[in-house]
Amino acid sequence: MATLTIKNLKFNYANNKMPIFNDVNLNFAPKTLSIIHGPSGCGKSTLLKIIARLYPKYNEGISSGKIFLNQKDINLINELSFRKQIAMMFQNPNQQFCMQNGYDELIFTMENLQLPKDKISKKINEAIQFGNTSNIIYHPFDTLSGGEKQRVALSIIYAINPNIILLDEPFASVDYETRQILIGKLNQLKNMGKTIIVVDHDLSLYEKIFDNLIIYNNNTFKSISYKASIRKFEEFQISPAIKCSIPNKQPITLELKNISINNGDKKLIQNNSINFYQGYTTLITGKNGSGKTSLFNTLIKMHPFNGEIRLNQKNIRKIRIAKYYKNIGIVFQDSNKQFIKLTVKEEIQLSIKKHNYKLFSTIEIDNFIKNLGLESLLDQVVYSLSEGQQKKLQILSMLIMGHSVLLLDEPFKGVDLKSIEVINDMIKLAKTRGQTQIIISHQRYELKELVDFHVTLSNRKLEYKESF
Amino acid sequence: MDPALKLITILIIAIEISFTQNLILNFIIIIVSLLILILNKISLKSLLYIFLVPIIPAIGIYAAQLINGSTNYGIILATRVYAYVFLGTTFTKTASIKNLIFTLEQNCKLPAKFAYGVLGAFNLTETIRKEIKQIKLAAAMRNVHLTFFSPTLYFKSIMSALNWSNLLAEGMTSHLFVEDSPRTHFKNININKLDYVKMIIIIFLVQIVLIKF
């Protein structure tokens, strides 16, 4: 059992005099679950990393104030015993693994914990059981889906068995059912006496197990009352299944004929035919690891497949790659992978200069930049942005390109509600100007006005559904 | 054979052939390595690769000796290039990098941070390869076509490698890796006594060839 107390914490980046937050005074008691919520880039991840003593060591920032673990200043605690007590799960699991697969990563962690050999096997088995990761633990990380990696990361946290658990957007890429199961697991951990602190943009499903909701306001993080919390949670109520129509005779853009896709030995899609329609937004959903991202990779010719895919009636195998990418674009799940310039401004200007088709006017683009909150960040290096800010920049840059078909892989991951609305407006405007969009998203709220059709991927089949 | 001992044996042989001029030894090394590689089911493609790639430096050295030195010495130098390549290939094909790291850490008392640093560096080559592919793809999506000669490609990959190395260190720390702190080992690697015997015999045989021929 451990109590964590934060006193007058302030943090600013070395090149910026304005603190990203100050006067943070918070208390976290054992057997509680606290949620930290706020707009992208307000410093939620930074706050967690300061608590985990990873910042300012691994970034260029200056913090002042004190953090106490059971009344002891955390800077006075020996490194290893500190790490045994406070463990953190990163927002991007790729940045947390240093071995090739989950099993090796678990061993590596347990060796660092100095457990004897026989205890390591036992711990590993327990952790695999807790995260329900037995079927993916030996697979190399680069073959796992985003949600599967998050489950492995959670198993490792369980194996470390710390008193204080910090989770940064732990369920951003897991499907709704898995989210339900994992939030149940958090409750289990809480009842074991752990102190749990979660950063999440999506508040759905927490209302029954949370103790404390902390909101970012006026440059600081503050707990809000139970009543105010409940009002906040209501914004995230998942509306009952939303009706949508099944396409019928619309003009076809992408035609998939008898396609089969595998990932290694695993069959993802088997002998399936489906069409995507011009000028509509189609949502694709399916469980973690069902092959949604692999389907996207297939559509951009980066994953082998059997069968035939036609873009505007032309077999894509016969279209030269440079020409093909003028027609079809993708917003990658991992924002980092999208950028090819150094600063935010350069990235946007490149898209304006190199666009395939002018979808937006200059005034519209300037408005998007402002509404997304990117205006003050124009000269920043893209790597220094928060995950949510990167996501916004990434979507804006790709929309400006004006591809006739745009694939968006988890475009709302790590993005706050207000920005989701702005992104929705942008996507909708692009659609009214003729763009075809296919979206993979686990996040279900705010999709109502955006999505025209819904396709599920389950049992190796893609199928249109009447609701989502 | 233990990967660390194997590495030491190969290094000793490589140093010896660097300072001696023995054509027969070079040929024996090439043939024995080739046999080991075939026994380890090396693919025809890799085999062709290691035969063809050293041809340029080998012929270069041979030609230089032909003009300015002696033909005999030229042949020795050319076969030496092949002997190096075959020795190296034999090592990488028969030893796993993970086991090498484990034995270096456990038996050779290499500090864990170096051991995992080496492992990281080995993974880095693969990471950079993927990174370059990814950057090309991302650029193509933006109507920028990067070729082998585009500086942007290298600038970006170096940027992301630097970024990646910092993230790796942070990730390791988050999984409780603390520099200079003792660790336990799940997989104990003990060097078999027979491995020492093998090593001594191999080095002894090399000396015999050197003296006799």
Side-chain angles (χ1 to χ4, degrees):
Chain A
M1 301 253 190
T3 305
L4 188 85
T5 316
I6 300 177
K7 284 209 171 127
N8 299 323
L9 189 71
K10 176 178 144 183
F11 184 86
N12 51 294
Y13 281 101
N15 52 6
N16 198 338
K17 278 192 188 124
M18 280 287 285
I20 57 170
F21 51 72
N22 56 22
D23 275 332
V24 178
N25 288 289
L26 294 166
N27 190 54
F28 302 95
K31 228 178 171 179
T32 60
L33 185 142
S34 310
I35 304 166
I36 301 177
H37 183 76
S40 329
C42 74
K44 303 179 297 294
S45 302
T46 306
L47 177 64
L48 282 197
K49 286 198 171 173
I50 293 172
I51 297 174
R53 237 168 69 177
L54 293 167
Y55 285 176
K57 187 177 171 189
Y58 289 107
N59 78 345
E60 282 146 25
I62 304 150
S63 75
S64 64
K66 287 224 150 76
I67 301 174
F68 299 93
L69 178 66
N70 291 334
Q71 280 89 49
K72 198 169 176 194
D73 186 338
I74 59 166
N75 288 317
L76 302 175
I77 304 172
N78 148 292
E79 178 85 12
L80 191 65
S81 60
F82 175 80
R83 302 255 162 248
K84 281 183 190 168
Q85 289 193 69
I86 297 189
M88 172 170 176
M89 179 174 151
F90 291 3
Q91 184 167 13
N92 184 346
N94 292 332
Q95 299 177 351
Q96 194 157 20
F97 301 136
C98 52
M99 306 299 278
Q100 302 288 344
N101 61 48
Y103 184 73
D104 285 347
E105 189 73 36
L106 266 168
I107 291 177
F108 171 74
T109 311
M110 294 301 101
E111 288 177 343
N112 293 335
L113 201 58
Q114 298 173 16
L115 285 189
K117 207 170 157 180
D118 46 327
K119 279 215 176 121
I120 292 181
S121 326
K122 200 170 146 250
K123 269 274 176 186
I124 289 178
N125 287 334
E126 286 169 11
I128 291 173
Q129 217 172 9
F130 178 84
N132 190 19
T133 41
S134 56
N135 52 343
I136 48 175
I137 201 80
Y138 297 104
H139 291 253
F141 286 126
D142 50 11
T143 64
L144 295 187
S145 75
E148 288 172 332
K149 281 186 253 190
Q150 287 192 310
R151 271 161 51 204
V152 172
L154 190 67
S155 297
I156 294 171
I157 298 288
Y158 179 82
I160 297 171
N161 193 24
N163 282 320
I164 295 179
I165 300 175
L166 311 172
L167 305 155
D168 193 355
E169 304 270 352
F171 312 127
S173 342
V174 302
D175 56 79
Y176 191 74
E177 255 172 73
T178 312
R179 182 182 172 88
Q180 243 167 339
I181 296 168
L182 292 180
I183 288 185
K185 300 261 180 195
L186 286 192
N187 197 27
Q188 213 177 310
L189 287 170
K190 177 182 128 177
N191 291 329
M192 283 160 67
K194 309 282 181 205
T195 312
I196 302 174
I197 308 173
V198 193
V199 163
D200 210 328
H201 281 104
D202 183 355
L203 294 178
S204 58
L205 294 174
Y206 283 115
E207 64 268 28
K208 289 205 179 84
I209 65 161
F210 90 104
D211 298 278
N212 193 6
L213 180 63
I214 295 158
I215 301 279
Y216 178 82
N217 203 354
N218 282 335
N219 263 8
T220 189
F221 293 95
K222 273 214 171 81
S223 261
I224 59 172
S225 71
Y226 182 77
K227 259 193 174 167
S229 308
I230 292 299
R231 270 201 302 277
K232 201 86 194 159
F233 281 119
E234 275 164 7
E235 289 175 26
F236 290 86
Q237 286 295 341
I238 304 273
S239 44
I242 300 165
K243 285 255 173 256
C244 61
S245 53
I246 286 189
N248 164 34
K249 289 188 187 158
Q250 279 87 350
I252 297 168
T253 297
L254 263 176
E255 201 178 350
L256 279 59
K257 270 189 184 167
N258 305 324
I259 62 154
S260 302
I261 305 174
N262 300 338
N263 184 6
D265 306 333
K266 198 173 156 197
K267 290 193 169 84
L268 298 173
I269 296 176
Q270 232 179 342
N271 200 15
N272 203 206
S273 299
I274 198 159
N275 300 325
F276 294 99
Y277 299 90
Q278 196 189 330
Y280 289 92
T281 306
T282 308
L283 170 72
I284 300 183
T285 59
K287 284 197 174 168
N288 287 138
S290 59
K292 302 183 294 299
T293 299
S294 299
L295 173 67
F296 270 15
N297 286 335
T298 307
L299 293 178
I300 57 164
K301 296 215 233 184
M302 280 288 149
H303 192 99
F305 67 99
N306 285 320
E308 194 181 327
I309 300 177
R310 289 162 161 267
L311 176 70
N312 299 327
Q313 275 135 47
K314 204 165 174 197
N315 188 338
I316 66 164
R317 294 193 207 263
K318 288 183 184 147
I319 308 176
R320 271 193 312 117
I321 208 106
K323 198 176 163 210
Y324 188 62
Y325 290 155
K326 277 182 190 289
N327 284 299
I328 196 159
I330 186 168
V331 172
F332 297 113
Q333 194 175 133
D334 209 345
S335 313
N336 258 324
K337 293 182 173 167
Q338 199 95 48
F339 303 127
I340 55 173
K341 290 285 182 185
L342 204 55
T343 66
V344 176
K345 200 174 160 182
E346 287 169 352
E347 202 68 46
I348 297 172
Q349 270 167 354
L350 176 78
S351 285
I352 296 174
K353 196 173 136 205
K354 292 277 185 178
H355 67 242
N356 300 302
Y357 174 78
K358 195 170 179 186
L359 268 183
F360 305 126
S361 69
T362 320
I363 299 167
E364 281 168 336
I365 293 172
D366 285 343
N367 269 333
F368 290 146
I369 294 174
K370 203 157 71 194
N371 294 340
L372 288 171
L374 294 175
E375 211 177 16
S376 57
L377 306 170
L378 286 174
D379 292 320
Q380 277 210 33
V381 175
V382 290
Y383 292 115
S384 70
L385 301 180
S386 80
E387 296 258 336
Q389 290 165 338
Q390 286 184 346
K391 201 90 238 170
K392 292 191 272 186
L393 171 65
Q394 186 197 1
I395 295 171
L396 177 64
S397 310
M398 282 312 287
L399 278 171
I400 295 173
M401 286 308 294
H403 288 96
S404 60
V405 178
L406 187 63
L407 314 173
L408 299 108
D409 196 350
E410 298 285 356
F412 306 122
K413 205 169 88 177
V415 180
D416 57 282
L417 269 188
K418 199 178 144 246
S419 302
I420 289 182
E421 280 166 25
V422 181
I423 292 172
N424 275 349
D425 287 342
M426 290 175 1
I427 298 178
K428 272 188 279 182
L429 190 60
K431 176 165 63 176
T432 58
R433 292 173 184 172
Q435 190 174 57
T436 306
Q437 294 147 348
I438 308 175
I439 299 181
I440 293 174
S441 180
H442 283 112
Q443 214 134 292
R444 298 209 297 186
Y445 49 80
E446 298 286 331
L447 283 177
K448 192 176 164 186
E449 285 171 21
L450 185 65
V451 171
D452 302 303
F453 305 126
H454 176 214
V455 168
T456 55
L457 173 52
S458 68
N459 298 323
R460 301 180 199 132
K461 271 203 156 44
L462 289 156
E463 226 175 340
Y464 277 100
K465 296 275 163 159
E466 281 183 308
S467 62
F468 60 87
Chain B
M1 195 166 170
D2 180 79
L5 287 188
K6 199 185 278 179
L7 185 64
I8 294 168
T9 315
I10 282 176
L11 282 177
I12 292 176
I13 297 175
I15 290 171
E16 278 206 81
I17 59 170
S18 305
F19 293 105
T20 53
Q21 298 173 20
N22 193 317
L23 189 62
I24 292 172
L25 181 60
N26 288 355
F27 272 116
I28 290 176
I29 290 169
I30 293 171
I31 290 164
V32 172
S33 301
L34 190 62
L35 281 176
I36 295 174
L37 286 174
I38 290 169
L39 283 177
N40 278 289
K41 299 198 175 81
I42 185 177
S43 70
L44 195 67
K45 204 178 142 197
S46 332
L47 203 58
L48 271 176
Y49 189 77
I50 57 166
F51 263 111
L52 293 179
V53 171
I55 263 189
I56 302 164
I59 289 182
I61 291 172
Y62 178 70
Q65 285 300 324
L66 205 62
I67 299 163
N68 294 321
S70 72
T71 331
N72 280 345
Y73 192 52
I75 292 174
I76 288 176
L77 286 182
T79 50
R80 197 184 280 173
V81 171
Y82 271 95
Y84 288 144
V85 170
F86 275 74
L87 274 175
T89 316
T90 311
F91 179 75
T92 49
K93 283 279 167 195
T94 59
S96 98
I97 192 70
K98 228 166 76 182
N99 282 340
L100 174 67
I101 301 299
F102 288 157
T103 185
L104 283 177
E105 188 195 355
Q106 292 177 35
N107 298 315
C108 308
K109 306 287 168 245
L110 188 74
K113 62 179 168 187
F114 284 115
Y116 283 93
V118 173
L119 191 63
F122 268 93
N123 293 338
L124 184 69
T125 46
E126 181 62 10
T127 310
I128 288 180
R129 211 177 56 81
K130 279 185 193 153
E131 199 62 46
I132 287 182
K133 202 174 157 197
Q134 177 64 40
I135 293 166
K136 274 186 169 167
L137 173 64
M141 292 281 167
R142 309 279 287 279
N143 268 334
V144 176
H145 299 283
L146 300 177
T147 61
F148 189 72
F149 301 104
S150 313
T152 316
L153 193 59
Y154 300 99
F155 174 69
K156 264 313 271 194
S157 47
I158 290 169
M159 275 290 292
S160 59
L162 284 177
N163 189 38
W164 179 82
S165 68
N166 198 33
L167 292 172
L168 180 70
E170 191 181 334
M172 285 171 77
T173 310
S174 79
H175 281 161
L176 287 85
F177 184 82
V178 178
E179 266 179 41
D180 306 322
S181 159
R183 308 174 71 243
T184 51
H185 300 291
F186 184 63
K187 191 178 174 190
N188 284 324
I189 296 192
N190 294 317
I191 300 180
N192 197 328
K193 286 210 177 71
L194 233 113
D195 285 350
Y196 287 108
V197 177
K198 279 187 206 164
M199 178 178 159
I200 292 167
I201 290 177
I202 292 170
I203 292 172
F204 184 69
L205 284 176
V206 170
Q207 310 315 314
I208 290 186
V209 174
L210 273 178
I211 297 164
K212 283 277 173 195
F213 303 98

